Amino acid sequence: MEIVTSVCGKVAEKVADGVFAAAGDQLGYLFHYNDNIQKLKKQVEKLRDSRDMVQKKIESAKRNGEIIFDIVQKWLPEVDDVSAKAEKFLEDEGKANKWCLNGWCINLGQRFRFSKEAKKHTLTIFDQLQELGKFESVSYPAPPSGIILSSQIINSGIFKSRNSLKKDIMKALIDANNISIIGICGMGGIGKTTLVKEIGHHVKGAKEYDVVAMAVVSQNPSIMKIQGEIADMLGLKSLPIHSELARAGSLWERIKQGKRVLIILDDVWEIIKLSEIGIPFGNDHRGCKILITSRNKDVCIGMDCQQIYNVETLSKQESWELFSKIAGSIVENSDINQIAREVTISCGGLPLAIVTTAGALKGKSIHGWKRAARRLESSTPEMEKKVFSSLKLSLDYLEEETKSLFLSCGLFPEDYEIPIEDLVRYWIGLKWFGDIDETIEDVRNKVYDIVSTLTSSFLLIEGYEGHVQMHDIVRDFAITIAPEYNHKFMVNAGIGLKEWPRRDTFKDFTCISLMANYIEELPNGLECPNLQALLLQKNQISVVPSSFFEKMTNLKVLNLGQIYIEALPDSLLFLTNLRTLEVSASKVVDLSIIGRLSKLEILSISDSILVKEIPSSFSQLTNLMLLDLTNTNLELIPYGIISSLQKLEELHINGNWNLVELCNGETPTQCFCKLRVLKVSWCRDLLNIAPSHLLQGLQNLQTLEVNWCKSLVYIFDCEKIKITKGETKLLSSLEYLNLSDLFEMSHMWKGDHQSISLHNLKSIKLFHCSKLIKLFSPTLLQSLICLEELDIENCYYLREIFEKKEAEDVELDHTITSPCLGNLTSINIYTCDSLEILFTPSIAKLLVKLKSLKLSFCSRIQEIITNEKGEKEKSSESIVFPRLEELNLFYLHSLTCFSSGSYTIEFPKLERLKISGCGKMKTFSFGEQVTPNLKEVRLDGTRRWNGNVNTTFEEYFNEQVYTTL
C-alpha cells in the first residue's frame, strides 16, 4: 500500500501542475485493472458470437440467392481485425500475468498500460456491436432476373423490315395509352421470340417500363408454370405453392404495385384467360400491357389483342445477308456463289432455316454445297417441313456422336435450361461414346466440345453458364427424327401429366422421359427390355412399387431426383446394368440397396438432407467414378468406404471429413490415386484438407474447390514432406483451384514450398478468403507457366500477389522452359483493401499474353507498376503489354498513376480504357505511352479522347477541379 500511496502522491502532484486534467480516470485504470480485463474478455466473446450469428445469416441469405449489404460485408473484416487485436492483447496480458496475483506483481507502468488498453479495446468492440444494432437485415432480395439475350440471337435490327416492325411495336407499347394487349403472329422459326426479347430488353433499358416479365406458354400450357416464371421476374418470392387461384391473387397484387409493367407471353397456342394467371390490365391496371406471340392469328383475335402485327419472312436480300453472315466469305467464291444463293432461296426467308443451313454448310467443299442444293430442292414446299428439311441437312453433316447428343437434348421439356453436366453423367451411363476406358474429364471435354459444335450450328442455343436450350421447333424435329437414328424415345416431359401415360406397349422404347410433371403414382411393373434411360425427376411420386424395375434389366441411366419417395424398392436389384443413378433432393434415408449395384459409375445423392450415414454396402461399388454428396447432413462415413472406391475420380463432399479420416490410415497410393476432382464444402471444424502423409496420393488431382469451411487455416500440409531430386513434385497435375468463403485461412499451404509445383495450374479463383495474406512465394511463382486466369475477390488482408525475387535467390527448376506468367490472359482483382503492390517491372514484363486487367475497390494501391526495392530505374527502358485489350481501374481511392517510373509503356492492342472513382489520378503515367489502337477513354463514365492518354487525363482532372471551385 505504501507503493500505491507514493504513486497517488505523485499523481496528485501532477494534477497540481496541470499535467493531467482527469486524474480520477488515471487512478481508475490502476484500481479497476481486473474489471477492465474481464469486461474485455466478455466483450470479445460477445463480438465473436455476434459475428457467428451474422455469418450464419449471410450463409442463409446466399443460399436463397439474396445480395449481402455492403455495410455488412465491410463489418465482417473490421470485426475480424478488432477481434484479432483484442485477442492478441489478452494473450500478451495473460503471459505477463502468468505468475501474478491479480496483476499486482507486474510493474505499475505495465498495469496502467494494460488496463487502459483493455478499456480502449472494449470501447472499440462496443462500437462494432453498436454498428451491428443498425443492421435491420444482412441482405436484400436479388433483383428480378431479366430477359437473357443469347449471343447467338441474330439481331432483328440488322434487317430493315424487322427494324421497322420493332419500332412500330415499341411505339404502340410506349405511346398508345388505349392499347393493353398486342399480338405478334408468325410461323414457327420466323423470329417472334427473338423480336419480343429485344423489345423487352430495350424498353426496360430505356426505363419506359419499371418491370418486364416474360413467360413461355408453349403447346401444353401450365398455369402454375406461367405464374412461376412471371413471379420470378417480378421478384415475388412468396407465391403460394399449390393453389392456382391463390397464386393468381398474389400475382395480381404484385403487378398492380408497378406503375409501368410489361408482361410477355411467348408461344401461345390456344386462348388462355389472363385473369386465371393473375394479370390485371385495362380498367384494372392501365399501366400494365401484354405482348403475346403466337403461330395462330385466331389466338390473338380470341385474346382480344387490340393491335396485331404479322412477322413476315425475310426478303431475298435480307435472307442473303443473314446466310452470308453465318456461312462466311466462302459464299463469294465464284464456284459456290450461285449455289449458295439457290440454297438461301430454298430456305424460304425463314431465319431458323437460314441459320441452321448456313451453319451446316460453312467450310464445306463445292460438292457438299451441290448436294445440299439438290436435297433442299426436292423437299416439300410447306414452310415448316422446309425447316425440318433444313434441320435434317444440318444433322446429316454431323458426326454420329454429335447426332446422338443432339437427339438426347429432346428428352428435356420445351424451353428447358439443359444442364450440360446432366448430359455428361447420362452419357457416361449410356456409353454413347462406346465402352472405352476414358476418364470423366475426357467425357466432359467431349460433351462440351459437341455442345459447342451444336451451338455453332444453331441447333442449340447458349443458356446461362453451363446450360443450353433448344428452340421448340428444333426439339419437335429431334423427337420426330430420332427413330431414323435408332433412338426410340417416349417424351412427355413438362406437359403437366398427372398420371402415367396409357399405351399398349413400352417394349420398343430406348428412352422414356416423364420429367417435370405432376405424376403421383407409378404402375406396378413395365416390360421394357430395351429401355436404357428413364427420367422421372421433378414429379410428385411418393412410392415406387416393389416390382416396378423387374423387367428393365437393360436400364443404364435412372433419375429419381426431386421426387417424394422415402424408400427404394427391392426391384432396384434387377438393374444389374445400371451405371448412372440420381436420387438427389429425395426423402430416402436408407441407401444400402444401392451398394449392390456393382456396375454403378455415377451416383448422386446431393441435397438429400435426411441421409445421415453412408451404408457399409457402398464398399462394393468398386466401379464408381463419381460420388456426389453435396449438401447432405452426413454424420457417419464408415472407415474404409471411400478408400475402397478404387476407381473414384470425382468426390463432391461436405461435412467435417478430411482425407485421412476417409482413407482409414491406408497408404497414399492406395487411396485417391485416381482422384481428379475434389470439391469440399460446408465443413465447420475442418482444419485442413489433406495431412502431409496423404498428399502424395493426390498425384492426379486436377480440380480443387473448397467452399464455406469456416475453420480451415490452410489447404495442404507440406511441412514434413521432402521431395528428393527426380521425384514428381506435389500438386503437379492441379489445373483449377477455386477457394471461396474460407474466413480463417491465412496461407494456402503449410510448410516448404520447394515440394510443390504448380506448373499445370490454369485457373485460380479466390473469393472471400478474408485472412489470406500472401499467395505465391518466389518458388511457386516460378512454376506458374500455364496460368491463364487469376480472379481474386474480397480478400481483405491480401498484401501481395506476386512476390518476385532475383533468380539467384531461388533454386531454379531447369525443367521449366517457358517464363512464369507467360500464359496469363486475364486478371480480375476486386475489393482487396490491404493490397499495396500489384506488379513490379520484372513481373509486368512477363505478362506477354495478358488481354484483360480489371482492378476495383483496392483502397491502398497507389500505382499499378511499382519499382522493385533497390532497383535503379533506366529511363530508356520500356514495358510492353503486347496483347492487352481491356484495362479497367475502378474506385482505387489512393491510385495516383499507372506508373511513377519514367518507363515507356506500350499498349499496342489496347482498345478500351475505363477509369472511375480514382480521384487522385491526375495523370496516367510519368513516362511515355504508346497506344496506337486506343480511340476512347472513359473517365467516370464520360467519353474522352484527344489523341494522348496523359493530356486526356490532365484535361479531365483540371475540369473537375474547376467545377468544384
Side-chain angles (χ1 to χ4, degrees):
M1 288 301 295
E2 291 179 4
I3 297 174
V4 177
T5 305
S6 175
V7 172
C8 291
K10 291 179 180 179
V11 171
E13 290 173 12
K14 291 186 176 181
V15 171
D17 293 339
V19 177
F20 293 111
D25 288 344
Q26 309 305 315
L27 285 171
Y29 289 131
L30 291 173
F31 287 111
H32 297 294
Y33 172 85
N34 290 324
D35 287 343
N36 288 342
I37 296 296
Q38 292 304 315
K39 284 179 182 177
L40 176 58
K41 288 179 178 178
K42 289 179 180 178
Q43 287 291 83
V44 167
E45 186 176 350
K46 188 175 181 180
L47 186 62
R48 189 187 300 120
D49 291 342
S50 298
R51 190 210 182 283
D52 287 347
M53 177 193 69
V54 171
Q55 187 60 55
K56 287 176 182 176
K57 288 183 177 180
I58 289 174
E59 292 167 5
S60 175
K62 285 188 173 182
R63 285 197 295 272
N64 292 324
E66 295 187 348
I67 298 173
I68 310 304
F69 286 115
D70 287 342
I71 188 173
V72 178
Q73 299 219 52
K74 290 178 181 176
W75 184 81
L76 285 175
E78 289 174 3
V79 165
D80 290 340
D81 185 44
V82 168
S83 294
K85 288 177 180 176
E87 287 172 2
K88 178 67 166 60
F89 165 76
L90 289 172
E91 182 182 343
D92 293 343
E93 189 272 341
K95 289 178 181 177
N97 283 314
K98 188 174 182 181
W99 306 109
C100 289
L101 179 63
N102 295 326
W104 282 108
C105 67
I106 61 173
N107 69 64
L108 292 174
Q110 276 186 308
R111 182 180 175 87
F112 176 84
R113 180 174 59 82
F114 278 140
S115 183
K116 184 176 182 181
E117 196 167 341
K119 191 162 188 177
K120 178 183 175 183
H121 283 300
T122 301
L123 291 173
T124 303
I125 293 175
F126 179 78
D127 289 342
Q128 291 294 334
L129 292 171
Q130 287 289 98
E131 284 294 310
L132 173 63
K134 298 176 184 178
F135 301 164
E136 293 182 9
S137 174
V138 301
S139 62
Y140 59 95
S145 56
I147 295 172
I148 298 174
L149 293 179
S150 171
S151 60
Q152 293 178 323
I153 290 178
I154 306 302
N155 191 328
S156 61
I158 66 175
F159 306 122
K160 186 177 179 180
S161 62
R162 296 296 169 90
N163 200 30
S164 175
L165 178 62
K166 186 162 73 173
K167 287 179 179 178
D168 289 343
I169 296 170
M170 285 196 295
K171 183 175 176 60
L173 285 173
I174 295 167
D175 298 333
N177 293 325
N178 60 328
I179 294 178
S180 296
I181 308 178
I182 296 172
I184 299 176
C185 299
M187 64 167 299
I190 206 164
K192 301 184 298 297
T193 301
T194 298
L195 184 62
V196 294
K197 279 188 174 183
E198 289 177 8
I199 290 171
H201 194 73
H202 179 84
V203 297
K204 178 70 183 301
K207 298 184 178 179
E208 298 289 351
Y209 282 84
D210 304 319
V211 178
V212 177
M214 181 172 176
V216 180
V217 178
S218 75
Q219 196 168 357
N220 299 285
S222 165
I223 296 298
M224 295 185 77
K225 174 178 173 288
I226 297 166
Q227 291 169 331
E229 289 183 8
I230 295 173
D232 286 344
M233 286 199 167
L234 293 175
L236 181 59
K237 304 292 185 183
S238 57
L239 207 61
I241 298 174
H242 299 298
S243 169
E244 286 183 10
L245 188 61
R247 290 162 70 92
S250 297
L251 209 51
W252 184 283
E253 292 302 322
R254 172 61 184 89
I255 291 173
K256 289 199 72 172
Q257 291 174 12
K259 189 176 180 182
R260 299 276 288 170
V261 180
L262 175 61
I263 306 292
I264 300 173
L265 299 177
D266 188 34
D267 197 22
V268 181
W269 285 68
E270 59 187 45
I271 297 170
I272 55 175
K273 292 183 179 181
L274 299 176
S275 59
E276 291 182 359
I277 298 172
I279 303 174
F281 64 97
N283 292 332
D284 292 314
H285 189 355
R286 289 290 177 189
C288 180
K289 293 192 177 182
I290 298 102
L291 199 56
I292 291 170
T293 74
S294 180
R295 302 183 189 189
N296 190 335
K297 191 173 184 179
D298 289 339
V299 171
C300 293
I301 294 171
M303 292 190 66
D304 298 324
C305 292
Q306 295 137 307
Q307 190 74 48
I308 299 175
Y309 296 90
N310 292 323
V311 182
E312 305 292 345
T313 56
L314 299 178
S315 68
K316 287 184 179 180
Q317 181 58 33
E318 289 172 335
S319 298
W320 175 245
E321 289 173 5
L322 178 56
F323 190 93
S324 303
K325 183 176 181 178
I326 303 299
S329 59
I330 192 173
V331 299
E332 302 300 333
N333 185 306
S334 58
D335 294 331
I336 290 176
N337 184 266
Q338 186 57 40
I339 301 172
R341 289 184 180 274
E342 291 173 3
V343 170
T344 304
I345 291 169
S346 70
C347 292
L350 206 61
L352 182 59
I354 293 169
V355 296
T356 53
T357 304
L361 292 172
K362 185 177 181 179
K364 294 293 184 289
S365 67
I366 189 170
H367 303 292
W369 282 87
K370 287 179 178 178
R371 178 169 169 262
R374 284 195 300 273
R375 292 179 59 188
L376 288 171
E377 282 174 4
S378 63
S379 64
T380 54
E382 291 89 348
M383 197 63 74
E384 288 213 16
K385 289 185 179 179
K386 189 154 289 195
V387 176
F388 272 35
S389 179
S390 299
L391 293 170
K392 182 71 161 60
L393 175 70
S394 300
L395 194 62
D396 284 346
Y397 276 107
L398 301 176
E399 295 179 356
E400 291 303 314
E401 290 177 345
T402 308
K403 289 175 186 174
S404 292
L405 191 139
F406 165 74
L407 295 172
S408 67
C409 289
L411 295 169
F412 294 86
E414 191 173 305
D415 301 303
Y416 194 79
E417 290 275 359
I418 304 170
I420 300 175
E421 185 61 25
D422 281 5
L423 297 176
V424 173
R425 296 183 183 189
Y426 294 168
W427 268 52
I428 290 172
L430 292 168
K431 297 293 182 185
W432 278 351
F433 284 137
D435 198 2
I436 54 178
D437 187 20
E438 287 188 307
T439 66
I440 294 175
E441 190 60 24
D442 290 336
V443 176
R444 186 176 286 116
N445 289 335
K446 275 189 179 181
V447 169
Y448 269 88
D449 187 45
I450 290 173
V451 166
S452 178
T453 299
L454 291 169
T455 54
S456 299
S457 303
F458 299 93
L459 291 168
L460 291 179
I461 303 168
E462 290 178 359
Y464 63 92
E465 186 177 0
H467 294 72
V468 288
Q469 282 183 299
M470 255 186 164
H471 189 285
D472 52 355
I473 287 184
V474 177
R475 178 177 177 271
D476 291 343
F477 164 75
I479 295 170
T480 303
I481 206 75
E484 294 187 24
Y485 298 90
N486 296 319
H487 297 294
K488 296 179 180 179
F489 296 163
M490 187 185 88
V491 183
N492 288 322
I495 62 172
L497 278 182
K498 294 183 178 180
E499 296 180 350
W500 186 271
R502 295 179 180 178
R503 300 186 67 94
D504 293 334
T505 180
F506 293 87
K507 287 183 179 180
D508 296 331
F509 293 119
T510 56
C511 295
I512 294 177
S513 175
L514 297 170
M515 63 177 289
N517 281 301
Y518 301 99
I519 298 171
E520 296 181 3
E521 294 184 8
L522 297 177
N524 286 327
L526 293 175
E527 189 173 352
C528 304
N530 297 311
L531 192 63
Q532 296 182 33
L534 178 59
L535 309 182
L536 297 176
Q537 67 266 37
K538 297 184 179 180
N539 272 286
Q540 296 182 2
I541 303 164
S542 57
V543 176
V544 179
S546 59
S547 59
F548 182 71
F549 295 113
E550 285 184 3
K551 297 182 179 179
M552 302 181 190
T553 54
N554 201 37
L555 195 67
K556 297 180 176 67
V557 172
L558 174 61
N559 196 324
L560 297 174
Q562 300 180 60
I563 60 177
Y564 297 94
I565 61 171
E566 297 181 2
L568 296 169
D570 292 340
S571 60
L572 200 69
L573 295 176
F574 285 84
L575 305 182
T576 54
N577 290 299
L578 195 66
R579 294 192 178 98
T580 295
L581 175 61
E582 180 100 21
V583 286
S584 59
S586 75
K587 294 184 177 181
V588 176
V589 175
D590 184 4
L591 302 170
S592 57
I593 194 171
I594 294 175
R596 297 167 67 181
L597 301 173
S598 60
K599 290 189 178 180
L600 208 59
E601 296 178 354
I602 308 291
L603 173 60
S604 174
I605 57 174
S606 63
D607 300 296
S608 296
I609 59 175
L610 297 181
V611 174
K612 300 296 183 184
E613 64 179 80
I614 296 298
S616 58
S617 63
F618 272 30
S619 62
Q620 302 172 51
L621 299 177
T622 54
N623 286 299
L624 200 66
M625 300 164 67
L626 184 152
L627 178 58
D628 189 348
L629 303 173
T630 309
N631 294 332
T632 56
N633 290 327
L634 287 177
E635 297 174 358
L636 175 64
I637 301 178
Y639 280 140
I641 295 295
I642 303 296
S643 61
S644 66
L645 310 179
Q646 294 294 310
K647 293 186 178 180
L648 193 66
E649 296 178 15
E650 299 195 6
L651 176 61
H652 308 178
I653 192 169
N654 66 291
N656 294 314
W657 316 99
N658 68 12
L659 299 189
V660 71
E661 291 176 301
L662 299 178
C663 199
N664 193 24
E666 296 183 41
T667 60
T669 54
Q670 291 176 311
C671 299
F672 313 114
C673 60
K674 291 195 173 183
L675 196 67
R676 296 173 181 270
V677 175
L678 177 60
K679 297 184 180 181
V680 182
S681 60
W682 297 98
C683 303
R684 181 179 176 85
D685 300 319
L686 190 63
L687 297 179
N688 62 74
I689 301 298
S692 56
H693 71 282
L694 278 181
L695 258 180
Q696 288 168 298
L698 297 171
Q699 69 266 32
N700 290 308
L701 189 67
Q702 293 178 342
T703 298
L704 174 64
E705 291 186 12
V706 185
N707 306 304
W708 291 100
C709 295
K710 180 181 176 183
S711 300
L712 202 69
V713 293
Y714 50 84
I715 305 300
F716 293 122
D717 182 358
C718 311
E719 195 168 42
K720 299 176 182 177
I721 295 178
K722 297 296 180 184
I723 300 294
T724 59
K725 195 169 184 179
E727 280 188 317
T728 302
K729 290 193 174 184
L730 304 176
L731 306 179
S732 58
S733 296
L734 193 65
E735 296 182 10
Y736 302 97
L737 179 62
N738 298 338
L739 309 177
S740 66
D741 300 293
L742 308 180
F743 301 107
E744 296 298 322
M745 184 183 72
S746 58
H747 297 84
M748 284 199 284
W749 22 67
K750 179 183 178 183
D752 186 8
H753 295 174
Q754 298 286 343
S755 60
I756 301 174
S757 174
L758 303 177
H759 64 261
N760 277 309
L761 191 62
K762 296 178 181 177
S763 173
I764 300 175
K765 294 183 179 181
L766 305 174
F767 302 145
H768 289 94
C769 299
S770 54
K771 288 191 178 179
L772 187 64
I773 299 172
K774 288 187 179 183
L775 281 189
F776 306 117
S777 68
T779 304
L780 292 177
L781 183 65
Q782 183 192 3
S783 69
L784 296 175
I785 60 175
C786 288
L787 187 64
E788 298 173 3
E789 179 184 23
L790 179 62
D791 196 350
I792 304 175
E793 296 185 14
N794 299 103
C795 295
Y796 305 110
Y797 289 157
L798 185 65
R799 297 175 189 167
E800 198 170 356
I801 298 174
F802 306 107
E803 185 185 344
K804 180 66 174 172
K805 294 183 180 178
E806 295 300 323
E808 56 265 24
D809 293 336
V810 181
E811 185 183 346
L812 291 176
D813 183 350
H814 298 290
T815 63
I816 297 177
T817 56
S818 58
C820 63
L821 306 179
N823 285 297
L824 191 57
T825 60
S826 172
I827 298 176
N828 178 39
I829 313 292
Y830 179 87
T831 313
C832 295
D833 289 332
S834 299
L835 190 65
E836 296 180 355
I837 297 174
L838 187 60
F839 304 138
T840 60
S842 57
I843 291 293
K845 290 174 185 177
L846 298 173
L847 305 175
V848 293
K849 290 186 179 180
L850 188 66
K851 290 184 178 181
S852 174
L853 174 59
K854 298 177 182 179
L855 191 65
S856 308
F857 295 98
C858 299
S859 58
R860 293 192 184 181
I861 287 278
Q862 296 183 18
E863 56 184 330
I864 306 304
I865 299 178
T866 307
N867 280 351
E868 292 168 304
K869 293 179 181 178
E871 181 181 9
K872 292 184 179 179
E873 184 183 313
K874 300 176 183 177
S875 58
S876 61
E877 192 173 5
S878 65
I879 297 175
V880 184
F881 292 91
R883 297 194 185 181
L884 193 68
E885 297 174 1
E886 183 177 19
L887 175 58
N888 293 350
L889 305 174
F890 293 157
Y891 299 97
L892 309 175
H893 299 304
S894 300
L895 189 70
T896 58
C897 61
F898 191 84
S899 175
S900 62
S902 58
Y903 308 100
T904 297
I905 303 179
E906 301 182 35
F907 301 99
K909 289 194 174 183
L910 186 64
E911 298 174 357
R912 298 179 296 278
L913 174 58
K914 297 179 182 179
I915 300 178
S916 292
C918 301
K920 292 185 179 180
M921 197 172 183
K922 301 178 183 180
T923 189
F924 185 75
S925 71
F926 288 86
E928 183 182 352
Q929 309 94 43
V930 180
T931 57
N933 283 312
L934 188 61
K935 299 295 186 290
E936 179 183 279
V937 178
R938 285 206 174 197
L939 298 173
D940 296 317
T942 64
R943 298 181 179 181
R944 313 287 295 225
W945 183 242
N946 67 6
N948 179 274
V949 180
N950 266 358
T951 56
T952 299
F953 262 84
E954 289 159 9
E955 284 178 7
Y956 178 74
F957 183 80
N958 290 334
E959 287 177 16
Q960 297 303 108
V961 172
Y962 178 78
T963 303
T964 56
L965 292 177

